[in-house]
Amino acid sequence: MEAIVAGRERRERRERLTAEIIARTGIDEAMIERLVRGFYAKVREDAVLGPIFDVRIRDWEPHLAQMCAFWSSVALMTGRYHGTPMAKHLPLPVDAGHFDRWLELFEQTAREVCPPEAEAHFVERARRIAASLELGIAGAHGVMLGNGERFRRNQAGAK
């Protein structure tokens, strides 16, 4: 019985948080979808990021749906995403330059799609995600980054 009550309380707390974020930022699922689709349209055309995705994704619709669920969880605390982003990114041939380009395109898209409060909300989270993934990838290559340091694949002799 306690588990049922605790689960209900967690769900209600999540719903309150989501409602507060929506009220403060104006973010909703439709905005998330516009952001995700606009961003990945840019990524697919990008000379730096496009080739990384081209060899890994054939059917874009499932990926876009997963990314909408991811950003719903990140931006609105909905809990829709149940994946393992770090595990998905560890084998990728990426480093600081790729994350910089990813952020550049993401921030550009957020500016185009979102009102200022929503843009700031998305961008702050995107920057934290990029830093976390870069740190994890560096560690997987045996590189321990210090405060303010960036991962360059040639540091670890990585391919």
Side-chain angles (χ1 to χ4, degrees), residues 3-149:
I4 294 171
V5 171
R8 185 178 331 119
E9 289 173 356
R10 279 192 302 275
R11 187 182 69 252
E12 289 170 355
R13 181 176 182 272
R14 181 181 301 233
E15 290 170 358
R16 279 193 309 276
L17 285 171
T18 298
E20 289 169 11
I21 294 167
I22 291 169
R24 182 173 43 80
T25 66
I27 295 171
D28 60 15
E29 296 293 341
M31 184 186 298
I32 290 169
E33 185 165 351
R34 286 191 307 274
L35 176 65
V36 166
R37 288 184 177 279
F39 170 67
Y40 279 102
K42 287 176 174 54
V43 164
R44 292 172 77 176
E45 299 297 321
D46 189 70
V48 174
L49 300 177
I52 292 167
F53 286 87
D54 283 345
V55 298
R56 288 166 181 84
I57 300 175
R58 293 286 168 242
D59 184 358
W60 274 89
E61 282 309 310
H63 181 72
L64 294 173
Q66 188 174 41
M67 293 300 92
C68 286
F70 174 80
W71 280 103
S72 176
S73 291
V74 169
L76 295 177
M77 309 278 293
T78 61
R80 285 184 45 214
Y81 180 77
H82 301 286
T84 54
M86 186 63 74
K88 297 281 188 189
H89 287 80
L90 286 177
L92 298 179
V94 297
D95 67 5
H98 295 91
F99 286 109
D100 290 345
R101 184 65 180 148
W102 183 87
L103 281 170
E104 182 181 345
L105 292 177
F106 188 88
E107 291 176 15
Q108 179 184 86
T109 308
R111 269 191 310 277
E112 294 167 0
V113 170
C114 304
E117 187 70 30
E119 174 194 348
H121 188 79
F122 279 119
V123 166
E124 186 270 332
R125 280 149 184 78
R127 288 177 181 169
R128 279 194 284 143
I129 290 163
S132 175
L133 290 172
E134 184 179 334
L135 187 63
I137 290 169
H141 288 283
V143 176
M144 299 307 294
L145 296 176
N147 195 19
E149 292 181 329

